Amino acid sequence: MSDQLAASTVRPPSFREMGLEEIADSREMRLEERTLPAAPRHGVTDLRDLLVVAERRPGSVSLVDTTRHERVGRVDGVGRAPHSIVFHRQLPENAREGAYAYVQSRQGWVSKLDLFGGELVGRIRAGTSGRAITISSDSAFLIAGYYNPNHAVILDADTLEPLHRIPAHAVDPDGQSIASRICTVRDVPGERCFLLVLKDAGTVWFVEYDDPEFPIVDEIDVGRVLHDGVFSPDDRYFYLASQAEDCLYVLDVRQREVVGRVPTAGPPHPSPGALDERRGLGITGTVMTDAVTAWDLETGEPIADIRIPGHGMFCTAHPDSEYVWGDVIFDDTDRDNDGVIYQIDPDELVVSTVIDTTEWADGRSLHPEFTRDGDHVYVSCWDAGTLLVFDSSTGALTAAIDGVETPTGTFLGDRATEP
């Protein structure tokens, strides 16, 4: 293939490239380990109960104590539109080591936060349109994926120094060599490697992080317009969304192959995950569709498309809750009233309760997140600048937390124990 022809098939191209030296020049370390507090200043002794809330417009995050339902701090300077948040794998209880979270913003910054003092330790920018970040199983490395440039960058999780850059060029399902956006990255449990999803190439790469060269050691050709995904309860399978084909591909991460395909009611959006291990049931949200899809975790067969009261995006479950919770970002009946969340009864596979959140906060509500004990669900009210807290069983309002600004994603410290 000629260079001119190859260039014409690249979609979507990076607007510019960034080498490791340029990335390293953006690194800003603001606090040293020896200056950080030795114990939590906010009173949340078990950081698994600390909620980190992305605040889209100001480029900050708020910290919330989910045991008292109180906002206890804010960290500024993480970059416009914080998108993904991950935690050190072993969050401490009254111990200094490991009290960190990492935030990637769509503006491209990766920021390291001290969770004891609620301060920005440092940050680095490896591109723009950052969409995915994860941490290795030993908390030694971060990997951040970008839409622009089309690459992933591996960072030292302690110092944020850039260690390796992986350009995302691959052959797409039509046989064309293209640059691809990276939409999802995950640590593969038990495998000492990262999983990278190349959205446009329809490919998954496995990157070994025990080797200092960080080689791509395997790849799987999957499908078209890939997006996010979620691991099965036993960590053997990864359910990966194909938004062009309205399905979840089932990837065996041990054998490194596609082993199944789950048709969905619309373009699937499975993250953060609504998997009920007791019932052997998975439920995925869909994008711009008034239904979610339930499937059998053992057979991979779809069970039902469950009608919901509008177009949603996120749904989630908890092992100690009887209900799956979901949101409605766009209400079919009234586009000016998108404040609807709902409960699904997984035994009956129907929506059992619909809650109009505009009774307490006007505008959009989204991204339900369970507390660690499963007793409550937090919901972001984007336009109102409020977090609503509901009893996860009855749906009754427990608390309303003001003082947050344009809240979107909510990430509980308990996620540190997840793959």
Side-chain angles (χ1 to χ4, degrees):
M1 182 182 291
S2 70
D3 290 345
Q4 182 177 4
L5 181 58
S8 70
T9 62
V10 174
R11 64 180 197 279
S14 297
F15 294 109
R16 58 190 296 272
E17 292 296 322
M18 293 183 73
L20 283 182
E21 184 175 350
E22 182 181 356
I23 294 169
D25 287 343
S26 73
R27 189 172 70 103
E28 306 170 1
M29 300 307 290
R30 302 187 179 187
L31 296 173
E32 297 182 6
E33 181 86 15
R34 60 182 175 81
T35 68
L36 300 177
R41 291 174 175 169
H42 41 58
V44 186
T45 57
D46 193 328
L47 295 180
R48 292 176 297 172
D49 293 317
L50 188 70
L51 188 73
V52 183
V53 182
E55 296 179 309
R56 185 180 179 87
R57 187 167 54 230
S60 57
V61 298
S62 271
L63 306 180
V64 175
D65 179 351
T66 61
T67 65
R68 295 177 293 170
H69 307 311
E70 295 180 2
R71 193 174 75 86
V72 294
R74 169 175 283 122
V75 184
D76 296 313
V78 302
R80 180 179 53 81
H83 183 76
S84 301
I85 300 170
V86 296
F87 298 87
H88 195 280
R89 286 294 186 184
Q90 297 296 325
L91 287 181
E93 185 173 356
N94 284 325
R96 170 69 260 165
E97 185 179 359
Y100 302 110
Y102 303 87
V103 182
Q104 185 192 39
S105 73
R106 289 199 179 187
Q107 196 178 17
W109 291 98
V110 173
S111 301
K112 181 178 181 179
L113 312 184
D114 167 39
L115 296 179
F116 274 7
E119 296 181 278
L120 179 64
V121 176
R123 65 179 191 167
I124 189 169
R125 192 178 193 185
T128 59
S129 200
R131 299 302 180 98
I133 187 173
T134 199
I135 192 166
S136 61
S137 60
D138 57 4
S139 296
F141 306 110
L142 297 165
I143 186 167
Y146 289 86
Y147 280 13
N148 179 48
N150 304 120
H151 71 188
V153 176
I154 296 175
L155 308 170
D156 183 298
D158 182 30
T159 66
L160 297 185
E161 293 175 281
L163 303 175
H164 188 68
R165 176 178 175 268
I166 305 171
H169 294 265
V171 176
D172 73 5
D174 296 319
Q176 304 296 315
S177 178
I178 66 165
S180 178
R181 296 168 289 179
I182 292 182
C183 56
T184 294
V185 293
R186 293 285 194 276
D187 180 79
V188 181
E191 294 288 301
R192 304 288 297 170
C193 68
F194 292 124
L195 177 154
L196 281 67
V197 179
L198 280 64
K199 186 180 187 80
D200 308 290
T203 298
V204 170
W205 286 347
F206 292 83
V207 175
E208 184 180 333
Y209 54 73
D210 272 342
D211 187 326
E213 297 298 319
F214 302 103
I216 299 169
V217 294
D218 225 330
E219 66 178 81
I220 305 174
D221 293 328
V222 183
R224 297 178 184 274
V225 192
L226 305 180
H227 194 56
D228 63 347
V230 62
F231 279 99
S232 61
D234 63 1
D235 298 329
R236 175 69 183 266
Y237 303 103
F238 189 64
Y239 300 100
L240 178 58
S242 169
Q243 296 196 322
E245 300 172 79
D246 290 356
C247 73
L248 296 175
Y249 279 101
V250 186
L251 279 57
D252 184 327
V253 297
R254 304 287 182 264
Q255 298 298 320
R256 310 283 171 85
E257 61 183 356
V258 175
V259 295
R261 183 178 182 276
V262 182
T264 55
H269 194 280
S271 185
L275 305 185
D276 186 331
E277 188 173 7
R278 288 178 299 165
R279 297 178 177 86
L281 180 71
I283 295 178
T284 179
T286 59
V287 180
M288 303 304 295
T289 310
D290 58 356
V292 299
T293 295
W295 79 95
D296 187 302
L297 292 175
E298 182 175 354
T299 67
E301 294 297 320
I303 297 172
D305 291 333
I306 304 168
R307 186 87 176 183
I308 63 173
H311 293 167
M313 185 173 292
F314 299 99
C315 57
T316 188
H318 189 283
D320 295 324
S321 175
E322 291 301 316
Y323 298 99
V324 170
W325 282 67
D327 61 18
V328 172
I329 306 298
F330 304 107
D331 186 339
D332 283 342
T333 60
D334 184 352
R335 291 289 178 177
D336 294 325
N337 177 19
D338 304 323
V340 175
I341 55 176
Y342 60 87
Q343 292 175 311
I344 289 175
D345 182 336
D347 290 320
E348 300 297 329
L349 295 177
V350 296
V351 171
S352 56
T353 305
V354 176
I355 301 169
D356 182 357
T357 60
T358 60
E359 181 178 345
W360 306 283
D362 290 338
R364 291 165 288 184
S365 55
L366 72 157
H367 206 281
E369 178 88 338
F370 279 94
T371 54
R372 182 161 63 102
D373 58 14
D375 289 346
H376 294 91
V377 170
Y378 274 70
V379 174
S380 292
C381 296
W382 182 336
D383 304 292
T386 300
L387 297 173
L388 297 179
V389 187
F390 295 93
D391 183 297
S392 65
S393 295
T394 67
L397 183 72
T398 298
I401 303 171
D402 296 322
V404 290
E405 186 172 348
T406 56
T408 52
T410 51
F411 299 82
L412 189 66
D414 195 42
R415 292 189 184 211
T417 63
E418 298 179 357

